[in-house]
Amino acid sequence: MLSNVPGMPRSARAPITGPAAATVFTTVLTEGPVSRVDVARRTGLSSAAVTKAARPFIEAGYLEELASGGRTAPGAGRPANPLAIRPDREYFVGVKITGDDLIGVVTDLRADVRASARHALTGHDVGHVVRALADLAGELLSDPGVRDRAFCVGVAVSGDVDRVSGVVRYSPFLGWRDVPLAELLQDATGLTTTLENDVKALAVAEKWFGEGVGASTFALVTVGAGIGSALVVDGRVLRGAYGVAGEIGHVPVAEGPACSCGGQGCVEAIASGEAILTRARQVTGEPALSMADAVTRARGGDEPLREVFAAAGHAIGLGLAALVNLFGPERVVVSGEGVATYDLFEEQIRRTFEVHAFGSAARCRLAVRPLPFEEWARGAAAVAIQGLFAADRG
């Protein structure tokens, strides 16, 4: 346990007490420096409401007023001092759990990474993972200047995650069911722990600090060990009644192989890294074929292997078209470790998407954004930052 991480009274933490405070703080965080007048214009709040909401943040050191340079707000008789985030007021730990590693970062309030580290996982036993994550957090917080201002950790894990209860309901890659991970980690680290599905966590970071900035609606789709997706509607990650809204990886698109979810012919069963490699070994008759060799040979013109990647691209294109037809986002961000081989199925993805996207939905922009796992950990930290807005924040 990080026994040297001190607690801090609620009065010394970010004083977010209601929707107006959250709106003002988020606006300055993602769009600042910005004047009170501009915050009011962008949010629809009155100038008085903005001033009232901002004052406690300034007093607690989360916001600061910058010199105006003598500018005045339109129609106002005094300088319009822009509000800005003080990024080093608080630090946040973010951890991405994979089947093989823990990838951790420390970020400031703007989710800029200040430190990063990796620890190998030698097993998936819950106790082992909790101990390894506590050790990783201790390493990341070795600097006393950072440790004394770090109170929260965000953890991103694949699968069905209940953020409210902090329970991993099902993670196929870890073999977990109904694991109260947030509680276990909070006991082990002494840090307030927020648990989130890894793709949703990445979507939070993209919404605030990446490709989603300025878009009221967008979707994030990840291609790799699985096919993940997250939807952002009116600036909020859409969870649905059961927390799994937008899971196109488990949309059946063909009469195909069995999926880890129990279904058949799902996008993930055809287009995940494991599914592609399994099919590549079948068509070549080489049970020891590696993904690296399959990629190299496909790029070299091996037609049967190229068809395997094209089939994966077709399945992804069908999933994207279904997502866009139902949801209508302004843009779709395609990311994940599988994007490194995007050249092998990009053409098929786009062709299938254009054929099956309904009407003007085909104009939705597909943006490819390769991201290392450190960015996923940054997404977990962004979820911890988002915890500043929780009404029951400790």
Side-chain angles (χ1 to χ4, degrees), residues 32 212 383:
V383 169

Side-chain angles (χ1 to χ4, degrees), residues 70-259:
R71 294 184 304 108
T72 58
R78 59 184 178 84
N81 297 331
L83 295 172
I85 292 290
R86 290 185 60 189
D88 59 353
R89 172 59 177 82
E90 187 170 338
Y91 295 102
F92 301 83
V93 177
V95 179
K96 157 70 172 169
I97 303 177
T98 75
D100 302 314
D101 297 285
L102 299 177
I103 301 94
V105 298
V106 172
T107 78
D108 60 23
L109 265 169
R110 289 201 186 105
D112 290 333
V113 175
R114 301 297 187 94
S116 64
R118 287 193 179 212
H119 282 193
L121 281 180
T122 57
H124 294 165
D125 174 75
V126 174
H128 169 73
V129 173
V130 169
R131 289 189 296 272
L133 198 149
D135 289 343
L136 177 62
E139 178 181 337
L140 288 166
L141 298 178
S142 59
D143 181 345
V146 172
R147 181 174 63 240
D148 292 346
R149 282 177 282 172
F151 315 98
C152 303
V153 56
V155 179
V157 61
S158 66
D160 183 359
V161 174
D162 185 346
R163 176 170 173 171
V164 174
S165 67
V167 172
V168 179
R169 291 188 289 218
Y170 176 52
S171 181
F173 301 120
L174 295 173
W176 289 357
R177 286 190 182 274
D178 299 321
V179 175
L181 189 61
E183 179 182 354
L184 295 172
L185 290 175
Q186 188 155 320
D187 289 343
T189 65
L191 301 171
T192 298
T193 303
T194 303
L195 189 63
E196 182 58 284
N197 168 270
D198 54 354
V199 182
K200 287 183 173 63
L202 188 58
V204 171
E206 287 296 292
K207 168 58 187 171
W208 282 0
F209 309 109
E211 288 284 342
V213 173
S216 63
T217 58
F218 80 97
L220 173 71
V221 175
T222 57
V223 179
I227 306 296
S229 58
L231 311 177
V232 175
V233 180
D234 294 332
R236 300 174 64 87
V237 175
L238 185 64
R239 303 180 185 281
Y242 307 105
V244 293
E247 284 287 353
I248 68 165
H250 297 289
V251 172
V253 293
E255 292 291 334
C259 183

Side-chain angles (χ1 to χ4, degrees), residues 343-364:
D343 58 295
L344 290 172
F345 43 63
E346 176 182 8
E347 181 180 353
Q348 188 62 60
I349 287 175
R350 294 188 182 277
R351 183 184 304 134
T352 300
F353 175 75
E354 290 171 1
V355 169
H356 292 274
F358 178 71
S360 59
R363 289 161 32 197
C364 175

Side-chain angles (χ1 to χ4, degrees), residues 16-27 39 43 45-46 49-50 52-54 57 389:
I16 298 179
T17 57
T23 298
V24 169
F25 191 80
T26 304
T27 302
V39 172
T43 64
L45 295 170
S46 69
V50 172
K52 181 179 179 181
F57 291 109
F389 310 110

Side-chain angles (χ1 to χ4, degrees), residues 197-394:
N197 168 270
D198 54 354
V199 182
K200 287 183 173 63
L202 188 58
V204 171
E206 287 296 292
K207 168 58 187 171
W208 282 0
F209 309 109
E211 288 284 342
V213 173
S216 63
T217 58
F218 80 97
L220 173 71
V221 175
T222 57
V223 179
I227 306 296
S229 58
L231 311 177
V232 175
V233 180
D234 294 332
R236 300 174 64 87
V237 175
L238 185 64
R239 303 180 185 281
Y242 307 105
V244 293
E247 284 287 353
I248 68 165
H250 297 289
V251 172
V253 293
E255 292 291 334
C259 183
S260 63
C261 71
Q264 282 191 307
C266 299
V267 176
E268 186 169 297
I270 299 169
S272 68
E274 181 180 353
I276 291 173
L277 182 57
T278 297
R279 183 58 182 156
R281 288 170 173 172
Q282 290 173 347
V283 300
T284 61
E286 301 176 31
L289 180 70
S290 69
M291 177 62 85
D293 286 340
V295 169
T296 298
R297 285 164 54 175
R299 286 174 173 160
D302 186 311
E303 195 56 37
L305 286 174
R306 291 186 67 85
E307 290 178 1
V308 170
F309 284 96
H314 179 66
I316 295 169
L318 288 173
L320 290 176
L323 185 72
V324 170
N325 288 344
L326 290 170
F327 168 53
E330 297 173 43
R331 68 194 70 155
V332 175
V333 180
V334 181
S335 188
E337 65 270 27
V339 168
T341 57
Y342 194 71
D343 58 295
L344 290 172
F345 43 63
E346 176 182 8
E347 181 180 353
Q348 188 62 60
I349 287 175
R350 294 188 182 277
R351 183 184 304 134
T352 300
F353 175 75
E354 290 171 1
V355 169
H356 292 274
F358 178 71
S360 59
R363 289 161 32 197
C364 175
R365 181 167 69 91
L366 303 183
V368 180
R369 182 169 160 79
L371 295 171
F373 276 130
E374 282 72 15
E375 287 295 314
W376 294 68
R378 178 175 178 257
V383 169
I385 296 171
Q386 194 179 45
L388 289 167
F389 310 110
D392 57 350
R393 182 176 183 267

